[in-house]
Amino acid sequence: MARLTLKDIRHSYTPNPASDADYALKRVDHVFEDGGAYALLGPSGCGKTTLLNIISGILRPSEGEIHFDTLDVTDLPTEARNIAQVFQFPVVYDTMTVYDNLAFPLRNRRVPEDVVDRRVREILAMTGLEERAKRRAKGLTADDKQKISLGRGLARPDVNAILFDEPLTVIDPHMKWTLRTQLKELHRRFGRTMVYVTHDQTEALTFADTVVVMYEGEIVQIGTPEELFEHPRHTFVGYFIGSPGMNLLPAEFDGATVRVGGRPVALPGTPQRPSGERIELGIRPEFVRLGREGMPVSITKVEDIGRRKIVHASLEGETIAAIVKEDMEIPAEPHVVFDPAHLNLYADSWRVELEDRP
Amino acid sequence: MLELRDVSKTVSGERHISDVSLALEAGSLNVLLGPTLAGKTSLMRLMAGLDQPTAGTVHMDGADVTGVPVQRRSVAMVYQQFINYPSMTVYENIASPLRVAGTERATLDRKVREAAEMLRLTPYLDRQPLELSGGQQQRTALARAIVKNARLVLLDEPLANLDYKLREELRAELPRIFAESGAIFVYATTEPSEALLLGGKTATLSEGRVTQFGPTIEVFRNPADLLTARTFSDPPLNTIEVEKKQSRFLLDGVGGLPVPPALSDLRDAVYTLGFRPHHLSLEPRGQGAIALDARVTVTEITGSESFVHLDYAGNPWVMLEEGVHRASGGEKLTVYLDTRHLLVFDASGRSAATHRARAA
């Protein structure tokens, strides 16, 4: 296992990048600690796969260095980096049995056959592939093949890191739960450095201890799932994490409070008056309380999604979403209250610290 | 209206579709929900006329269209893989079905621009599909399906390859876009949450059979059998097998759970109890919540919610709680089951008591 250090990495797919816009990765300076479980989360085109390919050696960065512990691997090819990789689409040897597919990376490294057998059996049990162990991979379903890919990625205990690129996209929802918890359990038991690229917030948040959120070639926030949910540093994080994302309402300063469409909203602390032009109040739908008191809203749509309802409403001409429990009756004259402890303030999209916040 | 009457499809001795009867109304949104290989794509191919059923008939507005090939039906399809003509611009891609139909120029232009606007493709009309992101490519395919103005629109996991947030947005727009067209809209997905967000009606599929068909939220709340309940649960349905003896649900002949008053007239027999992860909680909710002592296996925290994986008498369960709960593996935990939402299935897997429990 190793600590992965990215030093001032920049990458451009064009030969002579002139401006920031020419860079797929604008600047990444980050350390993935030894034994950590990390997720790189962001929409397509945000640079997360570029970053992963730089770690794995598929791409050489235009600028900067990458170190595994103290070794500079910037110019080393993938084979020399001693990493395991799992891709979005299954990579299996069709003519080999499931068992031999899983044993392949170990036999390649001349691991004694009794150790191979023990390890392969563990992985077969974990992925639920025991019954198919002796079958050839050809003819298996896409998700069974992907389980083989995942299993192979986990087979070798001595790798520097395991890199996952959207590994569960082709897996059925029920199997996702099983594989995800097993990955997490495995990480807890063996403490390997894992970097997991995904655009799926649930996967990223449940898998990783630390989530790196990327947007337009830059890291916009690094934090625990809780931090990303409670205090998004950038409005993009507020929007991208959570479903629906954070409500953002244009606001104006008025002393210790802000006004939304003329209505004062008390803040949980005193904002330093930011220099930004555009002030927005951020409140997650989970913390918008719907009831008979507070600010009047008109409801435009109620989506019953089973375990909860998403209420879409209009507040002072702005659209907002609120999440309510499945059994809740929607009041006839609806009002909303914002849970003050969960208000965030943004100036030009970046979060403003509030002083004396409890 | 599209009707399938006792439709079956056998391919080299293997049953892909078994005795499916469905009636889909004009202007309706119908979700086919089921795991990989449940028969969603096979069923859609039969609806489209791409395949012919081995038994049974297909009717469109009363007329038997069973043998009619896809070219002579009014059908549009969108697949998981984005399919566009790579050498044509986005504009020409969207226009292609209209050109085939010999649509007059001014009408063609108006329809293409309307569809492009609806799917937010206006800035990209002059580009070629491969210069676009996956989401834009799929929106091009969707726009083409819209201008075709087909009576039957089949979408086979159309958002599966797209970003999470983009899916969220398109999912919200799609029902509206297709409702305006008045077409019969069929949408296949493996994800229960996607079915719930789309609304409309849902047919749950399992091994080539339709296990239930009805308004989406109804099927979710009152599954007719255990298979449907499992298919329509994400996180997975929690279950436990019990034997009812008077006022107790016994586990292995002992202990177990008290029978909630609403289920007291259930006859004594063996049942499978089912309930969804959000009906377990750390504090009792609702009247008649039952306390259960479980052991934590692993906890997943999303920041807003916690998925606490539990072991209860050898049954793997998941509890979905709001907020952050750091329970660690091995820890004993008392959890509460909200019995108002308890599902009860008899030995054959049929629902024994869902409605009664709800009415109480």
Side-chain angles (χ1 to χ4, degrees):
Chain A
M1 290 294 104
R3 173 176 201 258
L4 317 180
T5 308
L6 304 173
K7 286 189 174 171
D8 286 325
I9 297 276
R10 282 161 76 78
H11 190 74
S12 174
Y13 290 100
T14 53
N16 298 302
S19 70
D20 255 10
D22 293 336
Y23 284 88
L25 270 185
K26 294 196 175 70
R27 165 150 290 126
V28 172
D29 198 69
H30 181 65
V31 176
F32 294 99
E33 294 295 343
D34 187 5
Y38 295 89
L40 302 180
L41 175 68
S44 64
C46 73
K48 59 189 191 298
T49 299
T50 301
L51 187 56
L52 195 75
N53 289 343
I54 286 171
I55 298 171
S56 68
I58 293 170
L59 271 181
R60 194 205 179 282
S62 314
E63 294 166 36
E65 289 175 12
I66 171 160
H67 294 212
F68 284 8
D69 289 331
T70 52
L71 180 70
D72 183 343
V73 298
T74 316
D75 288 306
L76 290 185
T78 305
E79 311 82 78
R81 295 193 182 191
N82 192 23
I83 47 162
Q85 297 184 82
V86 181
F87 300 98
Q88 181 173 359
F89 297 102
V91 181
V92 298
Y93 303 101
D94 266 351
T95 54
M96 285 190 196
T97 62
V98 172
Y99 185 103
D100 289 340
N101 260 289
L102 294 172
F104 187 78
L106 297 168
R107 286 176 177 158
N108 241 356
R109 298 246 153 188
R110 308 220 161 101
V111 173
E113 201 55 30
D114 58 321
V115 180
V116 171
D117 188 63
R118 196 175 343 120
R119 192 78 197 111
V120 170
R121 280 173 198 285
E122 261 179 49
I123 290 166
L124 284 168
M126 194 182 79
T127 49
L129 287 169
E130 290 132 310
E131 285 171 18
R132 272 154 284 196
K134 296 215 166 71
R135 272 184 60 176
R136 286 192 198 288
K138 195 179 172 183
L140 293 178
T141 60
D143 63 322
D144 274 347
K145 285 188 179 176
Q146 185 64 347
K147 281 185 238 163
I148 299 176
S149 290
L150 269 171
R152 253 208 333 246
L154 303 171
R156 279 173 50 210
D158 60 341
V159 291
N160 281 323
I162 309 176
L163 310 180
F164 301 90
D165 191 359
E166 310 263 9
L168 300 184
T169 305
V170 297
I171 304 276
D172 272 350
H174 285 193
M175 194 64 208
K176 266 185 196 170
W177 283 90
T178 313
L179 289 178
R180 226 173 50 207
T181 44
Q182 280 163 347
L183 271 182
K184 201 172 171 73
E185 179 63 20
L186 205 92
H187 179 260
R188 208 179 52 80
R189 267 168 60 199
F190 300 109
R192 301 191 197 160
T193 312
M194 294 185 177
V195 182
Y196 189 115
V197 161
T198 180
H199 63 78
D200 183 311
Q201 50 166 321
T202 309
E203 272 178 42
L205 298 170
T206 52
F207 168 77
D209 306 322
T210 306
V211 180
V212 178
V213 185
M214 297 185 65
Y215 177 53
E216 294 183 345
E218 282 178 287
I219 293 174
V220 284
Q221 188 167 2
I222 299 171
T224 63
E226 213 176 330
E227 285 162 355
L228 300 181
F229 183 75
E230 294 277 346
H231 303 301
R233 264 188 75 213
H234 190 277
T235 52
F236 174 79
V237 180
Y239 152 82
F240 200 75
I241 305 264
S243 186
M246 183 179 257
N247 295 300
L248 289 164
L249 303 163
E252 277 170 45
F253 274 109
D254 186 11
T257 60
V258 291
R259 303 182 81 86
V260 173
R263 289 184 176 270
V265 176
L267 294 171
T270 319
Q272 297 170 319
R273 200 180 173 96
S275 54
E277 293 282 305
R278 198 160 38 87
I279 307 297
E280 287 168 294
L281 189 67
I283 180 87
R284 291 207 174 268
E286 286 84 348
F287 304 122
V288 176
R289 311 266 177 255
L290 191 67
R292 289 178 221 294
E293 273 158 43
M295 299 176 278
V297 293
S298 59
I299 292 175
T300 49
K301 189 174 158 198
V302 178
E303 289 178 285
D304 187 345
I305 56 163
R307 68 186 174 88
R308 52 202 200 175
K309 290 175 186 158
I310 304 172
V311 178
H312 299 272
S314 166
L315 167 69
E316 301 285 335
E318 298 293 330
T319 58
I320 67 161
I323 288 176
V324 302
K325 287 201 191 325
E326 64 176 332
D327 301 316
M328 181 176 172
E329 294 287 329
I330 308 293
E333 280 178 33
H335 290 68
V336 294
V337 173
F338 297 157
D339 184 341
H342 295 99
L343 283 170
N344 286 287
L345 198 62
Y346 295 89
D348 290 343
S349 302
W350 292 95
R351 184 164 174 270
V352 179
E353 279 301 328
L354 298 176
E355 280 166 22
D356 47 76
R357 186 175 188 130
Chain B
M1 187 165 73
L2 175 74
E3 273 179 282
L4 304 185
R5 296 187 192 159
D6 299 318
V7 165
S8 294
K9 176 75 179 173
T10 306
V11 180
S12 22
E14 229 179 291
R15 270 271 165 126
H16 286 194
I17 295 296
S18 295
D19 302 320
V20 169
S21 292
L22 279 177
L24 312 179
E25 317 265 346
S28 67
L29 159 59
N30 306 278
V31 180
L32 302 180
L33 173 67
T36 313
L37 296 182
K40 303 184 297 294
T41 303
S42 301
L43 199 56
M44 284 189 153
R45 291 181 63 86
L46 292 170
M47 289 175 177
L50 284 163
D51 289 334
Q52 302 310 323
T54 321
T57 51
V58 181
H59 301 256
M60 190 68 171
D61 297 330
D64 189 335
V65 294
T66 313
V68 179
V70 64
Q71 302 86 334
R72 288 173 42 215
R73 299 197 198 177
S74 178
V75 179
M77 276 191 97
V78 176
Y79 302 87
Q80 182 177 341
Q81 295 79 15
F82 326 130
I83 300 175
N84 293 299
Y85 302 104
S87 59
M88 289 185 190
T89 61
V90 169
Y91 184 101
E92 282 306 321
N93 262 283
I94 301 173
S96 61
L98 298 172
R99 293 230 192 270
V100 171
T103 309
E104 172 257 334
R105 234 186 66 191
T107 314
L108 177 144
D109 188 67
R110 182 175 49 80
K111 285 191 170 174
V112 169
R113 290 184 190 282
E114 270 173 19
E117 195 58 38
M118 210 184 270
L119 287 157
R120 285 175 291 154
L121 287 167
T122 306
Y124 313 107
L125 283 172
D126 295 332
R127 301 225 197 144
Q128 294 193 333
L130 294 178
E131 297 172 306
L132 303 178
S133 71
Q136 290 158 348
Q137 290 182 48
Q138 189 65 320
R139 278 184 275 156
T140 305
L142 286 165
R144 199 170 53 236
I146 288 167
V147 296
K148 204 171 171 190
N149 206 17
R151 279 151 78 203
L152 178 61
V153 179
L154 302 167
L155 306 176
D156 194 357
E157 300 190 47
L159 307 184
N161 286 351
L162 298 185
D163 272 358
Y164 186 85
K165 272 285 152 175
L166 193 60
R167 291 171 67 163
E168 202 174 287
E169 290 172 22
L170 278 176
R171 208 153 41 199
E173 289 171 22
L174 280 177
R176 180 182 55 76
I177 289 168
F178 286 96
E180 283 171 13
S181 76
I184 301 167
F185 171 31
V186 183
Y187 189 110
T189 180
T190 60
E191 294 183 25
S193 58
E194 188 154 42
L196 286 163
L197 282 163
L198 287 167
K201 285 182 163 182
T202 289
T204 42
L205 264 81
S206 177
E207 298 181 345
R209 287 176 191 281
V210 170
T211 62
Q212 192 170 349
F213 180 54
T216 300
I217 199 76
E218 279 297 306
V219 178
F220 176 79
R221 293 237 160 85
N222 298 311
D225 54 38
L226 185 55
L227 208 51
T228 304
R230 286 195 200 280
T231 304
F232 212 154
S233 294
D234 183 38
L237 185 77
N238 295 316
T239 58
I240 186 167
E241 202 171 292
V242 295
E243 186 186 353
K244 181 178 179 287
K245 269 213 176 123
Q246 288 148 18
S247 65
R248 304 286 297 176
F249 283 129
L250 304 180
L251 295 172
D252 299 325
V254 292
L257 296 63
V259 174
L263 294 172
S264 57
D265 55 348
L266 200 67
R267 76 184 170 82
D268 285 3
V270 171
Y271 294 101
T272 298
L273 306 181
F275 52 93
R276 296 203 163 89
H278 66 286
H279 292 136
L280 277 182
S281 53
L282 289 167
E283 299 291 331
R285 274 196 219 125
Q287 286 267 305
I290 298 174
L292 300 164
D293 292 320
R295 197 173 287 279
V296 177
T297 50
V298 65
T299 305
E300 299 178 288
I301 296 167
T302 68
S304 58
E305 295 174 323
S306 305
F307 300 109
V308 183
H309 296 250
L310 303 164
D311 177 286
Y312 180 78
N315 298 281
W317 287 352
V318 181
M319 172 173 70
L320 171 49
E321 261 285 16
E322 280 169 31
V324 172
H325 303 282
R326 292 187 201 286
S328 40
E331 196 178 308
K332 269 175 88 174
L333 199 63
T334 302
V335 295
Y336 294 87
L337 169 61
D338 184 344
T339 56
R340 293 172 299 173
H341 300 278
L342 195 62
L343 306 169
V344 184
F345 304 99
D346 66 19
S348 71
R350 301 296 304 168
S351 171
T354 48
H355 293 275
R356 222 167 338 169
R358 175 119 327 96

